[in-house]
Amino acid sequence: MRQAQIARTFNGLYDVMMATRTAGDSRLPYVLALDVGTSSVRAVCYDADGYAIEGIDARTQYQMDLKPDGGVEIDAERLVEIICTTIDQCLIRARALPGGRRPAICGVGYSNFWHAMLGVDKMGQAITPLYSWNDTRSSEDATSLAARVDPQWIHRRTGVIPHASYYPAKILWLRRTNPSLASNVHRWVSIGEYLYSRVFGQFVCSVSMASGTGLFNPSEIRWDEEMLEVVGLSVDQLSPLGEDNQGLTRMHDHYAKRWPELSEIPWLPAAGDGACSNIGSGCVTRDSVALNVGTSGAMRICWQEERLEAPRGLWFYRANSRYALLGGALSNGGDVFAWCRRSFKLQNIDDDSIEARIAGVRPDEHGLTVLPFFSGERSTGWHDSARASIIGLGLGTTGIEIMRASLESVCYRFASIYELLRSRLPEKNRIIASGGGILNSEVWTQMMADVMGVPVIASAVPEASSRGAAMLALAAFGHASSLESFPIPLGKVYDPDLTSHEIYLTGRIRHGKFYNLLVDGKTDSINQGERKE
């Protein structure tokens, strides 16, 4: 194994191991992890300790179809084939493992993006595209649902409020805009369920994926019949729920011949990518807060809990029937940086130069206030129709100043989530950051620590969701005693600068004032009780 490094954490010294191993240093058995994200699919082999095996992986990039009216979708069969091709490529590389064409792979874990939905007919064939979580065409239907049914009643039952991200609004939208198509849908499923129906001939939905639909009761671990009645659905129109340790094994012959290495081992049904990210970064106890910034962003805690009522502004999902997941999500994260880079013609400037320029602007000295809602707002106010604003521009304002202010604004949004989470945290807690959106920028990571006033520890796990899927499979199939038993690879600690923190407190007050002005103008808000910052 690679040489361990030493880093300081919130409670002293910690041996920081690299999160990968060579095949020769790995520990049997292996597990294959699928990680289906909104722009790429990965397949990675992990060892028994949850370390990625170097060189035994594959990635396929793809793009969803963007529609002028706010639609974000992809053909389900196309995505299934992308997933299958990625598995093919990974298995070719897996022949380098001991066992050759029959490496000691004990199971398959699966992380999949939450909330996306498609409809299938009575034969199990997809008859709609897969509608992504960030498809906003159902915003009007989310608002109508909130006007008809108390959003807080829905929140208490399902852990979420009416929003375009979730199944109820999407289903109501399709019925309104294409009733003939909607009437032919026999079952509403995720892409993970659809993939397994092709490979194994049965639809199974994990507790984790169900908890992200807006139709599930995460405290009672069941499809919520009262919410189904509100939407006009029956339980039969959703997939049966799987057990935490349920593995599917009987493949159709076509896939058994395609993947003989995987044909006789259990495949764990897909879990939500946010839950997998927490698990993969080692945040599975109440004192560890996972901060993830990729294209979008989220902050979550995951711990063993049966029943829970989420604070207003946050959601309550599940990693499985034993582990609760409480947190909030931002529709905009790393894409804010990308927007600034593109809009201010910084594409040809290398990352180090941009970092240096951002670092050269002192905290909040630009005087700008940015509301970073380029794709609407999720946590904490859940205003679908909110849009980005930049306030305080002058003739001398530079693109780098706007970029700095924009990154600070994302930190402010995370600070609002963190404040809501703190009521559920012990006094001593730590924030572990993962995701390329933030870990590729030391300046932004330091900014996050300064805004929140607490240390932020960089995760040493390159792909937290993928690793979490592997850990769930290893635990489910009896190869690990618990999720807490895995090592936690950690990296650099970013201690807050208290002077900068005080400056940011003033910036947050100004940010909150303009946030309230923005959302007060959104008379169709589905959660107006969450205005005040």
Side-chain angles (χ1 to χ4, degrees):
M1 188 164 55
R2 292 181 178 178
Q3 182 66 34
Q5 300 173 342
I6 300 295
R8 194 188 60 72
T9 69
F10 76 117
N11 62 350
L13 292 177
Y14 191 94
D15 286 332
V16 181
M17 301 179 189
M18 301 303 291
T20 63
R21 284 177 174 164
T22 65
D25 290 330
S26 61
R27 194 169 73 85
L28 296 176
Y30 305 127
V31 65
L32 179 73
L34 297 179
D35 182 11
V36 179
T38 54
S39 59
S40 71
V41 175
R42 288 204 72 195
V44 185
C45 276
Y46 288 83
D47 79 350
D49 292 321
Y51 287 96
I53 304 172
E54 295 173 6
I56 314 300
D57 66 340
R59 181 195 294 268
T60 306
Q61 302 281 350
Y62 73 95
Q63 287 188 331
M64 292 196 180
D65 300 322
L66 305 180
K67 305 298 181 180
D69 58 354
V72 184
E73 62 185 45
I74 187 172
D75 178 77
E77 292 295 346
R78 177 184 162 216
L79 184 51
V80 164
E81 189 52 36
I82 289 171
I83 296 169
C84 292
T85 300
T86 308
I87 296 172
D88 293 341
Q89 295 168 352
C90 185
L91 289 178
I92 290 172
R93 297 182 178 112
R95 292 169 188 165
L97 297 172
R101 288 184 173 271
R102 290 284 184 175
I105 299 175
C106 69
V108 175
Y110 186 176
S111 166
N112 205 105
F113 52 88
W114 254 317
H115 320 315
M117 175 199 81
L118 68 111
V120 301
D121 62 16
K122 291 183 178 180
M123 301 301 293
Q125 299 293 320
I127 58 172
T128 76
L130 178 73
Y131 302 112
S132 179
W133 63 268
N134 54 346
D135 188 314
T136 60
R137 290 176 290 189
S138 61
S139 295
E140 176 185 336
D141 303 275
T143 300
S144 298
L145 177 59
R148 180 164 57 93
V149 183
D150 179 12
Q152 298 313 316
W153 179 87
I154 295 174
H155 189 237
R156 286 192 298 272
R157 300 200 67 85
T158 67
V160 308
I161 65 169
H163 192 266
S165 299
Y166 302 116
Y167 281 29
K170 288 184 171 69
I171 292 170
L172 294 173
W173 163 77
L174 193 63
R175 286 180 185 161
R176 176 173 59 84
T177 59
N178 197 338
S180 62
L181 176 60
S183 65
N184 286 323
V185 172
H186 178 69
R187 177 176 285 152
W188 302 98
V189 300
S190 69
I191 193 64
E193 294 159 66
Y194 189 64
L195 171 70
Y196 278 29
S197 76
R198 312 298 282 168
V199 176
F200 298 101
Q202 58 180 303
F203 288 95
V204 179
C205 183
S206 72
V207 165
S208 178
M209 289 301 292
S211 71
T213 62
L215 296 169
F216 181 80
N217 190 313
S219 286
E220 298 183 9
I221 318 293
R222 64 175 176 84
W223 293 116
D224 193 275
E225 293 182 359
E226 291 83 353
M227 189 62 202
L228 293 178
E229 184 177 353
V230 167
V231 183
L233 293 175
S234 67
V235 172
D236 292 340
Q237 291 175 277
L238 301 167
S239 296
L241 296 173
E243 301 292 333
D244 289 351
N245 61 352
Q246 179 178 354
L248 281 70
T249 55
R250 296 180 180 177
M251 284 186 183
H252 287 313
D253 288 344
H254 167 73
Y255 291 98
K257 292 176 181 177
R258 184 171 183 173
W259 304 320
E261 306 94 326
L262 309 178
S263 61
E264 298 177 2
I265 61 173
W267 291 46
L268 197 65
D273 56 351
C276 290
S277 180
N278 260 68
I279 293 166
S281 59
C283 295
V284 289
T285 53
R286 202 163 181 167
D287 62 349
S288 296
V289 182
L291 167 67
N292 180 264
V293 184
T295 302
S296 56
M299 178 177 273
R300 307 166 294 254
I301 51 175
C302 179
W303 76 104
Q304 294 195 48
E305 183 72 59
E306 292 183 2
R307 303 185 68 85
L308 179 68
E309 185 168 324
R312 293 177 69 175
L314 301 181
W315 40 248
F316 169 24
Y317 304 148
R318 284 204 162 272
N320 59 25
S321 63
R322 290 183 297 137
Y323 287 82
L325 196 76
L326 178 68
L330 306 183
S331 293
N332 298 108
D335 59 353
V336 173
F337 178 89
W339 179 86
C340 290
R341 191 167 193 170
R342 181 178 65 252
S343 298
F344 303 120
K345 310 300 181 185
L346 301 172
Q347 297 99 318
N348 296 327
I349 301 176
D350 63 86
D351 291 344
D352 290 343
S353 296
I354 291 179
E355 282 272 287
R357 292 188 189 188
I358 296 172
V361 181
R362 296 170 62 175
D364 200 41
E365 73 172 353
H366 43 71
L368 301 171
T369 302
V370 177
L371 302 174
F373 306 130
F374 292 88
S375 302
E377 186 205 10
R378 286 194 281 172
S379 302
T380 56
W382 297 91
H383 300 91
D384 264 334
S385 54
R387 286 297 177 263
S389 301
I390 304 173
I391 302 145
L393 292 169
L395 290 175
T397 302
T398 67
I400 289 295
E401 287 176 325
I402 296 174
M403 178 178 277
R404 170 93 193 199
S406 298
L407 298 183
E408 289 173 351
S409 73
V410 175
C411 297
Y412 292 162
R413 303 313 310 157
F414 274 115
S416 296
I417 297 172
Y418 182 62
E419 287 184 354
L420 292 175
L421 283 173
R422 290 186 76 161
S423 64
R424 305 303 174 95
L425 298 172
E427 182 177 351
K428 195 172 187 178
N429 59 80
R430 61 180 177 178
I431 297 175
I432 298 177
S434 65
I438 189 167
L439 295 186
N440 289 334
S441 171
E442 291 204 35
V443 173
W444 200 7
T445 310
Q446 183 63 55
M447 203 183 294
M448 200 74 72
D450 293 346
V451 167
M452 287 187 281
V454 295
V456 173
I457 309 168
S459 173
V461 177
E463 301 285 348
S465 295
S466 175
R467 183 176 191 251
M471 291 165 61
L472 279 168
L474 287 164
F477 302 145
H479 302 288
S481 59
S482 68
L483 296 178
E484 293 88 343
S485 67
F486 289 90
I488 305 175
L490 297 175
K492 181 178 177 178
V493 177
Y494 295 80
D495 288 310
D497 180 271
L498 297 183
T499 300
S500 296
H501 178 62
E502 291 298 320
I503 294 171
Y504 283 135
L505 287 177
T506 301
R508 282 193 65 198
I509 292 172
R510 191 176 70 248
H511 177 94
K513 180 183 75 171
F514 285 112
Y515 173 87
N516 290 331
L517 287 172
L518 173 72
V519 302
D520 279 342
K522 305 299 177 185
T523 56
D524 61 344
S525 165
I526 59 176
N527 198 13
Q528 294 188 33
E530 297 302 323
R531 292 177 186 170
K532 302 304 177 185
E533 290 289 286

